[in-house]
Amino acid sequence: MRGSALDLIWRRRMDGLPRNARNAILTEPLWGVFATPLLYYAPLYMSSVGLSTTQIGLLGSLFLALSFVFQALAGPLTNRVGRKRTTLWGDLISWSVPMFVWAFAQNFGAFVVAAALNASNRIVAVSWSLLVIEDVEAPQRARVFGILNLIVTTCGLLTPLVGLAISRHGVTPTLRALYLAGGLGMTVMFFWRNAITAETVSGKLAREQHKELGFRQSLNHTLSEVGGMRRHPGLVGVTAFYVLTIFLEQLSLFQILFLEHTLHFSAQALSYVPVGGVAVTVLVYRLVLPRLAAFPVARTLVLTRALGLMGAVLLLLVPVGQLTPMLLVVSLLGGATFLTQTYRDAALFARLPSAGAADLYSAVQTLALLCSVPAAALAGAIFAASPRGLFALIVAVSALLLGLALWLARREHQRPLPDAA
């Protein structure tokens, strides 16, 4: 009976979704169970093997600078090789291999190598997104992004177990073992997903269009599509919002170090942060998203960024060592991030034309990376001088994002943004 009930729930969730979206959702947990805790604890891991906050910030900026290079190649490669094959080989290079490098990293140089390899995931960010979403009808896209974001966030429930292991065995041994397991698990997942997905209709057309072009010609074609971005109503404004949210995410890299070093929370206490994020995300997904479906995207983004600004301000007011207020505030920030990512991506894809989607999506990603390159190094330098100063800057950027969301909402009277889902 239990199996039948779970099967019924699964079918209802997947009802109306095409093959690629269903199977991407099915396999996503095998990525999330490793990536979610490892990305969360990564700054602690780097600190535990002797890296300074300045070096951690430099790694972040190096990663973004290399990501910018790979992002420029993402559109042409995705069009020439195909969404499916690009995703498989890109994931193996950008996730499987770096996992093993991180597992044995002893110094800054090893982390540089891993960051360089992992930066190539910007190519996969384009190919995977298109593989998953291109064959999905527009009204269903926010739903797909919401489910995928929910899966990754829910994997945060594993962090208390990782935190318990850290308290018993230490940060370095625990995370080395998890990186090794992640390298193996992700590799299995990538081949499995590749076997059960198919090239999209738009992907097939793009391959036909680009197969006769040389790589330089293909890149020039991409640049010509980028130059025409203004021809698509609302795309420039949504792109500006997208870029600024990526910049904010890079500034927030040091949140876990702020909670540990400045507010003096233990690794075990910090392990409950993602759990609170999961609880809020599930509530948002079940109770909030259905009610927001009736609202235009830009107005929804106003709400999400108002919550984000509130959380950023409250984080500066959390008393040292007080677990409950910290969990409430960080969970609020997690809910705001979940909503922002879901509706930001839905708004962006709604503005992309079916022809040239890979080129334009890659262009948005490239611009976001270019503008965010100095963010991590800047955050590391500010954090080293004044941890609270960094999070005051985050408040300012959050306020700017809210202002941009309000501007987008006002422009709905001239160019209405499409409904989310």
Side-chain angles (χ1 to χ4, degrees):
M1 290 295 293
R2 182 181 177 86
S4 299
L6 290 174
D7 185 60
L8 179 60
I9 292 172
W10 168 259
R11 289 184 181 182
R12 286 178 178 174
R13 293 287 185 194
M14 301 301 105
D15 185 43
L17 296 181
R19 171 183 174 180
N20 285 359
R22 290 199 314 272
N23 290 329
I25 291 169
L26 173 66
T27 55
E28 189 69 6
L30 278 176
W31 184 86
V33 294
F34 300 109
T36 301
L38 286 173
L39 291 173
Y40 176 69
Y41 283 117
L44 284 184
Y45 178 62
M46 289 186 278
S47 180
S48 74
V49 297
L51 271 64
S52 68
T53 56
T54 301
Q55 287 177 316
I56 294 172
L58 286 173
L59 276 173
S61 284
L62 173 65
F63 171 81
L64 290 172
L66 293 172
S67 295
F68 171 74
V69 175
F70 285 117
Q71 190 69 59
L73 305 175
L77 279 174
T78 298
N79 285 328
R80 288 176 61 84
V81 179
R83 278 70 163 141
K84 182 178 173 179
R85 286 200 298 175
T86 302
T87 299
L88 173 62
W89 291 108
D91 271 334
L92 292 172
I93 293 169
S94 66
W95 284 108
S96 295
V97 178
M99 280 287 169
F100 296 113
V101 176
W102 280 317
F104 297 101
Q106 300 281 352
N107 51 46
F108 181 71
F111 284 100
V112 168
V113 172
L117 290 168
N118 188 232
S120 65
N121 76 68
R122 301 316 305 176
I123 296 173
V124 185
V126 172
S127 64
W128 177 82
S129 297
L130 294 173
L131 181 69
V132 172
I133 213 69
E134 272 189 326
D135 290 341
V136 178
E137 295 180 357
Q140 299 286 349
R141 287 177 175 176
R143 175 185 166 200
V144 172
F145 282 124
I147 294 173
L148 289 168
N149 288 337
L150 180 64
I151 289 171
V152 174
T153 303
T154 303
C155 289
L157 291 171
L158 296 173
T159 54
L161 296 177
V162 178
L164 181 62
I166 287 174
S167 66
R168 291 183 177 179
H169 306 291
V171 173
T172 305
T174 300
L175 295 184
R176 286 196 192 283
L178 192 57
Y179 276 116
L180 278 172
L184 294 172
M186 286 186 181
T187 300
V188 171
M189 176 261 190
F190 296 147
F191 280 108
W192 179 27
R193 185 185 58 199
N194 184 72
I196 59 178
T197 54
E199 186 61 73
T200 66
V201 173
S202 296
K204 292 177 181 177
L205 293 174
R207 287 184 64 185
E208 287 296 318
Q209 181 181 6
H210 286 258
K211 70 179 181 180
E212 301 298 333
L213 299 177
F215 188 80
R216 181 178 295 180
Q217 291 174 303
S218 186
L219 182 59
N220 288 337
H221 177 80
T222 297
L223 294 176
S224 69
E225 291 286 345
V226 173
M229 186 180 290
R230 283 184 170 274
R231 294 195 301 267
H232 307 288
L235 183 57
V236 173
V238 174
T239 297
F241 185 89
Y242 192 101
V243 168
L244 198 56
T245 59
I246 301 298
F247 186 87
L248 180 62
E249 289 168 8
Q250 296 305 313
L251 291 180
S252 302
L253 172 68
F254 290 89
Q255 179 178 286
I256 189 171
L257 294 180
F258 178 73
L259 297 176
E260 183 195 44
H261 295 167
T262 306
L263 300 185
H264 304 298
F265 289 103
S266 66
Q268 185 62 53
L270 293 176
S271 71
Y272 296 115
V273 169
V275 177
V278 170
V280 169
T281 300
V282 170
L283 288 174
V284 168
Y285 180 78
R286 296 297 299 273
L287 302 178
V288 179
L289 284 183
R291 289 167 173 77
L292 292 179
F295 292 90
V297 171
R299 295 181 188 179
T300 304
L301 292 178
V302 171
L303 171 63
T304 66
R305 293 323 310 161
L307 292 175
L309 176 58
M310 183 188 305
V313 172
L314 291 175
L315 186 61
L316 286 171
L317 303 178
V318 171
V320 173
Q322 294 296 308
L323 182 60
T324 300
M326 183 272 285
L327 288 176
L328 290 174
V329 170
V330 176
S331 296
L332 173 63
L333 283 168
T337 300
F338 171 75
L339 283 170
T340 299
Q341 291 174 344
T342 297
Y343 283 93
R344 173 198 70 189
D345 291 349
L348 177 60
F349 271 95
R351 289 300 185 186
L352 296 178
S354 56
D359 299 316
L360 285 171
Y361 183 60
S362 179
V364 173
Q365 295 281 319
T366 301
L367 184 60
L369 289 168
L370 177 63
C371 295
S372 300
V373 165
L378 176 66
I382 295 175
F383 187 88
S386 172
R388 290 189 179 274
L390 172 61
F391 286 85
L393 174 61
I394 288 174
V395 170
V397 175
S398 297
L400 183 59
L401 263 174
L402 176 57
L404 182 55
L406 287 167
W407 179 78
L408 289 172
R410 284 196 298 269
R411 285 178 60 86
E412 285 179 338
H413 298 293
Q414 303 171 11
R415 293 176 181 169
L417 282 168
D419 290 346

